[in-house]
Structures are given as structure tokens and as C-alpha cells.
């Protein structure tokens, strides 16, 4: 068989068995929301077989249609139709609520068999509910804080009773008050509702449009109408002021008038703009309608340019949120004209570039002239550099000129540019001048001490030594240097002076030439090189035939020029016993400022010591000394301390310094000794003196045969000094009983001096 015939037969079979469905009827309906519409639709099965169809409504408004007794939007309808036959569908189309706006709506039907068929039913809801809305008046004006009234007229033009809700948009809710926001209207009824609008006093002056809406409850049906409220400016503040005059040197004032020309009472806040040296008093005031009040403009003294200024007086009403401004002019004048000018420097005319020596204090002469309207008292001060001012205060009559001397203190300054300000000021004026000077090091010296920085040791041959010091003039001017040395007569120097030009260097020679019969020991001398403005000293220690045994003093570190730098803060103390009693001791304390900063001492105390001080607050400049009386209280058996740590409260903080307590002259100590209480102590003192003399006599007799004549003299000198030294020891004790214990201790013998015997032999 032909294959084409078989394919054609298969296609015909398939076409004969294909299913098809159609729905016929009225798909364009018109109705009102009350009555609804009944419609009959025909469902036709175009296939050759019986089919079962599912019919339902989908999408918006699916609840508006009922087919064969079923609301197919909620519950689908199933129906079977034989092939090539039809079935009738009875439909009711009606909105489920009457609160719908009149317009066109769509109901979508879905029929599902072997294939799906969609159908749309167009529903036109005609107008059956009609509202009318009107606002009377449509526009009106009002002042701030004033009430305004509008009538809202609403009419029900429909057939049925309606519930209407009213609302206002465009105005703050706090402004409006609607008589009622819900209204019941019968068919054809009209009602009026009152709308009251009251803007606050601070409301902005402008036009405020608003809308009233009437809405049918339960529907989206509404109607709107617009109106407007014009807030007008009916409140006024007037400011009256004339041109004013002010003095630059003192405070002055002028009056202005403030008037309320508005309809209501007001409260205003007053201020000044564009002039920072002016203010207004009072800053706030209340004012009734039609009332006039006085305010005062206060002009402070100022350094502003002398000219005419324009400023603004502002009156701000907090109640009505309104600002009133008035522009006013003021002429600033100089009523107290005082001038100050430097006229001399060291009694010479001031040059354009001022150069001074840092080693000397320059003295400026200033003239202060009074061109004010009355006599003035001028207080003089200098800032930027320390100075001595004379006079520091003076009265200057009108038209008079006075001179002021200012010595600039450069003692703590280093070379370089310096700036300072001279100022003469009073109650209503301030005259100043800024100056600059160049401080140069005119007479600076540098000294290289060579070997004099170390201790000098001379051997037993007493060979002389020569040391060379180099002197360099680092200053910018020539100067003479005076060279000297003090001490034993066997030290000398040459030359005695040196004339040095700027930058020049010269040598000075120091001779150490001891005699052959010089006794062994440590000798001191002081070398000095004195320039025009500065002196260099060098302490020299000379040890003959070796160093003394014992603790050597620590050498001080010199600076580059051989001069010890003075620290900023340094204090030294000295304590001397003036009176020693059994239970106390009176001590004189001397406190010295060895630093470069001035010390203001407010109190003095001692650490870990039962003591009281008689002290008045004092100010110490460099190298100044103050005396303080200290009483130390001693417990039974307690000895007078050898070292006291002083604590000073100063402007530089708490300072502490150790002070060694020393005795006064032997006569005073002796007097203190015999002022001790009791006859027993006096008897014990006599016994001690007898014992000392006996020991001395025995020592002298035992060594008389073995020592040379000079040795005997030396021993006699030691015996003669012995009572004095013992008395000094007595002065350090609180009672003679404690001294007696010390006397019983064996004396320590000094080692023999072998080198001394060699020297005496060489001398013979």
C-alpha cells in the first residue's frame, strides 16, 4: 500500500477525534449596582466525544458572577456535554456591594476541558449614587492668631441613604476644627458643616490652599473641593533712632524708641547686628498695642578704626515669628588720644636698626603724650623682655608729655633678635609701640685652662711647673683681659693683662714655684681672667709630696669656656648653732638662691625632724640670701643632727636641699656649755679639762728627747689647739655626761711623716 495513503488516513482520524469548545452569549452588560443582570450562555462541545468541563471566574470582580447556582469565583462548576451538543449556563451578574464607583469593570471566565477557553464579560456600572460638595467662601484673609470660618455644604443627589466622611487636607491639623467629620444623608438631602481655621501667632504670612473631601463610607467613591486662607500681616513694630556718636576709649550710650503698631499685644527680643562693640538694653521687653517703650544702645570702648559705621537694630517677635529691622549710623571718635613713642636709646637717637651688647642692659626713653579731653593716669608696662621701668605709673595732664625710662634686662638672654612691647594704658585708653633689637655678644671670652683643670701634684724635689691658658676674644669688639692669681706667695702669672681685638687669641702663663722648705699638704689658689663684661675663675688644688689621705672632692665639670654653668634652679643652705640647751637648740639657717630663676619661698620645713621655723615669705633673686631661725627639739639622749634636709615650698614647686649643721665661734659654744643645767655637769667639765691638760703634758715630755726643735713647736701647737677642739666637741653634745664617755676613748695616733724629715734634712 502507498505510504502516503496511510499518513493521510491517520491525519483524518486525528482530526475527527480532536476536541473543541465554544461559549456563546452576551458579553457586554450594563447595570446599576442595585439591580444586577441575568444572562444565559451556551456551552457547545464541538468534539465527537463527551467532555467534562470545569468553569470558574478568575481575577478581579470574580465574586460578581453566579452560574447554575454556584458563585464560580469561589467554587468551580463542573458540567458534562456530549459530543457535538451544547448545554445552557444561567448566569447572574451583580456587584456584591453597592459602594462601587460608576465605571467599566471586567469579569474573566475560564473553561477547562482538554483545552482551556477564556472569556471576558465587560460590565458597565451606571451612576446611581451622586454627592454634591461646596465650600463657602472659596477664599478669605485672616491675621495671625485670628479665627476664620468656612461652610462645607454637602448634598446627596442619589436615591438611597448615604454615610459620608469629611476630611481636610493642606492645613496643619492643629489649625483646623471640623464641626463633624461624619454625616448621614437621606436621598436628596443637603447639610452644612462648619470649618473653623485658626493659624498660630507664629504662622508664616502667606497663602495657604486646602482641600475638603467627602467620601462614601465603605467605597472608594469621593468628591473633592478646594479653598484657600490668606494669612495677612496685621502686626507691626516700629523702631525710631537718629544718627549716633560713640567714644573709642570709653563706653557711651544712645536711646531709641520701640512702638507696637499692631492689633495685639506683643513681646519682642532686641539685638544689634553688624557691630560687635555695641549692645542693647534691655534685650527683651513686652509692649501693649499702641504702646511706646525706650531702649538704650551701649557702645563699648574699642580699638576699631575711627569712622562712621552702619549697624542694624533688630526687634524679633517670638509670638508672631516676625523680625523688624532698622539701620542706624554711629560715628566712632577718639575722645582720649594718648600716644607713646621711643625717642632715645642710651641717651642717643634711636637708629633704624637697633644693635646692642647682650652683656649690657640698654636703656630706652619713651615719651607719652596726652591729647585727651581730660587728665589721665597712665600705667606703664613692658612685655616680651624683662625690664626695669621708671616710673611705672604717672599722671599726665591734658596736652602734657612725660618721659619714661625702660632698662631692658638682657642678663638671661642669648644673642639674637629680640622683640618687646611698650604700653601705656589707663581706664579709657591704651597706647603701645612694638620694638625690635639685635643683641650681639660684644665682649665674649673663651678660656682654655690647659692643665689647671686637674689637680697639680708636686713631687718631693719641688720642681716648679708652668701652665699655659689660652684666652680668645669671641666678641665683636676689642677688650682688655686682666689676668691674676691669688693664693700662696709662690704662685704667679704673666702677663697681667692682654689687649684683645675681636677674634684675637693670646696666652697667659701661670707659675707654680714652691720653696724647698714647704710643708707637705694641699694648697689652693684661684686663677682669674676678667674681661670687660665677664670673669672666669679657676680654683687650683696643689698637692705637695703626694695627695692627702682621705676622700677627694669631686671635680666640677666646666663648660667649653672653663666657666661653670649656673643652673636654672639651685639652692644652697648653711646652718649654724647659736644656742644649745638641754632639750633644744636654736640654729640660724641661711638659704641662698644659686640658680638663674627668681624663687618665691612661701614656707620652710625640715624632713623627719621635730623643729619649728620663724619665717616670713620671701622672694630671692640670683645670689640673694635670706636668714631663717630654726628651733630643734631634742628628746632625752638624742644628739643634735649633723645634717638637716630643708623642704621649701616655692613658685617652682617643692625644693629640698641638705644642710650641714655647724657650730658657731668657740666662745658661744663655751657659753652654751656652761649654761647647761646642774652642778654635776660643771664638775664633770672641770675634770675633763684637767684630764686633757695632763695627757698633753705627758705626750710633750715623752717625745721631747726624740723630736727636733721644729717638731716640739709643732707638738706644742697641737696641745694648745687641743682644748679648743675638745670644746667644739662639747658644744655638739647635749650634756657633759655623754662627753665624758668620749674622753675615755683612746686617741688615734697620726702616722709619721717620713717625707717631712727628708725635707728638713735638705734644708739643714
Amino acid at each position: 500500500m502507498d505510504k502516503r495513503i496511510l499518513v493521510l488516513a491517520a491525519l483524518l482520524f486525528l482530526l475527527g477525534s480532536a476536541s473543541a469548545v465554544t461559549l456563546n452569549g452576551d458579553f457586554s452588560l450594563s447595570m446599576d449596582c442595585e439591580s444586577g443582570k441575568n444572562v444565559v450562555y451556551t456551552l457547545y462541545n464541538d468534539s465527537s466525544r463527551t467532555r467534562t468541563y470545569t468553569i470558574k471566574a478568575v481575577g478581579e470582580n470574580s465574586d460578581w458572577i453566579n452560574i447554575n447556582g454556584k458563585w464560580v469565583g469561589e467554587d468551580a462548576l463542573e458540567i458534562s456535554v456530549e459530543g457535538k451538543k451544547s448545554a445552557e449556563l444561567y448566569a447572574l451578574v451583580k456587584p456584591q456591594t453597592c459602594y462601587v464607583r460608576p465605571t467599566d469593570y471586567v469579569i474573566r471566565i475560564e473553561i477547562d476541558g482538554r483545552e482551556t477557553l477564556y472569556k471576558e464579560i465587560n460590565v458597565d456600572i451606571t451612576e446611581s449614587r451622586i454627592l454634591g460638595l461646596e465650600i463657602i467662601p472659596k477664599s478669605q484673609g485672616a491675621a495671625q492668631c485670628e479665627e476664620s470660618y468656612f461652610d462645607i455644604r454637602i448634598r446627596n443627589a442619589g436615591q438611597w441613604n448615604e454615610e459620608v466622611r469629611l476630611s481636610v487636607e493642606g492645613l496643619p491639623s492643629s489649625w483646623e476644627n471640623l464641626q463633624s467629620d461624619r454625616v448621614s444623608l437621606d436621598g436628596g438631602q443637603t447639610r452644612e458643616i462648619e470649618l473653623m481655621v485658626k493659624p498660630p501667632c507664629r504662622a508664616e504670612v502667606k497663602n495657604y490652599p486646602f482641600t475638603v473631601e467627602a467620601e462614601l463610607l465603605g467605597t472608594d467613591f469621593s468628591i473633592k473641593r478646594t479653598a484657600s486662607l490668606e494669612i495677612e500681616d496685621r502686626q507691626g513694630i516700629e523702631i525710631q533712632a537718629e544718627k549716633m556718636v560713640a567714644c573709642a576709649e570709653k563706653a557711651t550710650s544712645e536711646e531709641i524708641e520701640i512702638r507696637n503698631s499692631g492689633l495685639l499685644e506683643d513681646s519682642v527680643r532686641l539685638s544689634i547686628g553688624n557691630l560687635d562693640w555695641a549692645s542693647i538694653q534691655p534685650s527683651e521687653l513686652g509692649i501693649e498695642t499702641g504702646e511706646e517703650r525706650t531702649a538704650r544702645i551701649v557702645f563699648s570702648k574699642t580699638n576699631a578704626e575711627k569712622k562712621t559705621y552702619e549697624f542694624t537694630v533688630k526687634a524679633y517677635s517670638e509670638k508672631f515669628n516676625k523680625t523688624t529691622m532698622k539701620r542706624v549710623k554711629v560715628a566712632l571718635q577718639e575722645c582720649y588720644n594718648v600716644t607713646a613713642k621711643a625717642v632715645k636709646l642710651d641717651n642717643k637717637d634711636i637708629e633704624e636698626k637697633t644693635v646692642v651688647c647682650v652683656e649690657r642692659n640698654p636703656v630706652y626713653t619713651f615719651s607719652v603724650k596726652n591729647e585727651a579731653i581730660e587728665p589721665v593716669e597712665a600705667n606703664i608696662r613692658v612685655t616680651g623682655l624683662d625690664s626695669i621701668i621708671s616710673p611705672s605709673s604717672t599722671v599726665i595732664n591734658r596736652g602734657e608729655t612725660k618721659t619714661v625710662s625702660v632698662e631692658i634686662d638682657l642678663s638671661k638672654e642669648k644673642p639674637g633678635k629680640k622683640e618687646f612691647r611698650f604700653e601705656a594704658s589707663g581706664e579709657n585708653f591704651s597706647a603701645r609701640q612694638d620694638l625690635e633689637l639685635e643683641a650681639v655678644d660684644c665682649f665674649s671670652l673663651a678660656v682654655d685652662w690647659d692643665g689647671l683643670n686637674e689637680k697639680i701634684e708636686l713631687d718631693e724635689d719641688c720642681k716648679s711647673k708652668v701652665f699655659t691658658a689660652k684666652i680668645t676674644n669671641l666678641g665683636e669688639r676689642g677688650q682688655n683681659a686682666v689676668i691674676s692669681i691669688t693664693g700662696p706667695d709662690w704662685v704667679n702669672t704673666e702677663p697681667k693683662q692682654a689687649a684683645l681685638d675681636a677674634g684675637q687669641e693670646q696666652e697667659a702663663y701661670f707659675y707654680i714655684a714652691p720653696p724647698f722648705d714647704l710643708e707637705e699638704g694641699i694648697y689652693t689658689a684661684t686663677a682669674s681672667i676678667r674681661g670687660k663684661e665677664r670673669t672666669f675663675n679657676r680654683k687650683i688644688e696643689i698637692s705637695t709630696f703626694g695627695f692627702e689621705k682621705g676622700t677627694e672632692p669631686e671635680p666640677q665639670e666646666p663648660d667649653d669656656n672653663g666657666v661653670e654653668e649656673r643652673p636654672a634652679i639651685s639652692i644652697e643652705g648653711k646652718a649654724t648653732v647659736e644656742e644649745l640647751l638641754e632639750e633644744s637648740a636654736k640654729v640660724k639657717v641661711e638659704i641662698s638662691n644659686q640658680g638663674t630663676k627668681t624663687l618665691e619661698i612661701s614656707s620652710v620645713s625640715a624632713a623627719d625632724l621635730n623643729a619649728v621655723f620663724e619665717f616670713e615669705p620671701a622672694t630671692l633673686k640670683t645670689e640673694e640670701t635670706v636668714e631663717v631661725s630654726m628651733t630643734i627639739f631634742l628628746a632625752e639622749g638624742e644628739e643634735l643632727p649633723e645634717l638637716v634636709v630643708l623642704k621649701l615650698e616655692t613658685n617652682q614647686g617643692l625644693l629640698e636641699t641638705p644642710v650641714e649643721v655647724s657650730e658657731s665661734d668657740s666662745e658661744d659654744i663655751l657659753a652654751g656649755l656652761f649654761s647647761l643645767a646642774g652642778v654635776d655637769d660643771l664638775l664633770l667639765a672641770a675634770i675633763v679639762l684637767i684630764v686633757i691638760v695632763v695627757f698633753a703634758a705627758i705626750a710633750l715630755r715623752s717625745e721631747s728627747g726624740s723630736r727636733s726643735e721644729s717638731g716640739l713647736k709643732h707638738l706644742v701647737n697641737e696641745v694648745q689647739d687641743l682644748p679648743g677642739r675638745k670644746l667644739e666637741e662639747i658644744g655638739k653634745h647635749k650634756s657633759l655626761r655623754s662627753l665624758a664617755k668620749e674622753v675615755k676613748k683612746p686617741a688615734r695616733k697620726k702616722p709619721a711623716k717620713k717625707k717631712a724629715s727628708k725635707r728638713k734634712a735638705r734644708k739643714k
Side-chain angles (χ1 to χ4, degrees), residues 581-593:
L581 302 176
E582 185 175 1
E583 296 180 352
S584 65
K586 290 187 176 180
V587 181
K588 180 178 73 173
V589 180
E590 297 180 6
I591 302 172
S592 175
N593 179 12

Side-chain angles (χ1 to χ4, degrees), residues 50-98:
T50 299
R51 301 293 185 193
T52 299
Y53 298 99
T54 301
I55 303 171
K56 58 184 177 180
V58 296
E60 259 185 286
N61 310 313
S62 62
D63 59 343
W64 283 18
I65 187 169
N66 183 291
I67 299 177
N68 292 352
K70 280 193 175 184
W71 295 99
V72 293
E74 299 175 358
D75 188 9
L77 172 67
E78 288 189 358
I79 186 169
S80 297
V81 181
E82 294 179 1
K84 300 299 182 176
K85 291 188 178 182
S86 62
E88 301 295 329
L89 301 179
Y90 301 95
L92 171 64
V93 179
K94 183 182 182 299
Q96 292 302 300
T97 174
C98 207

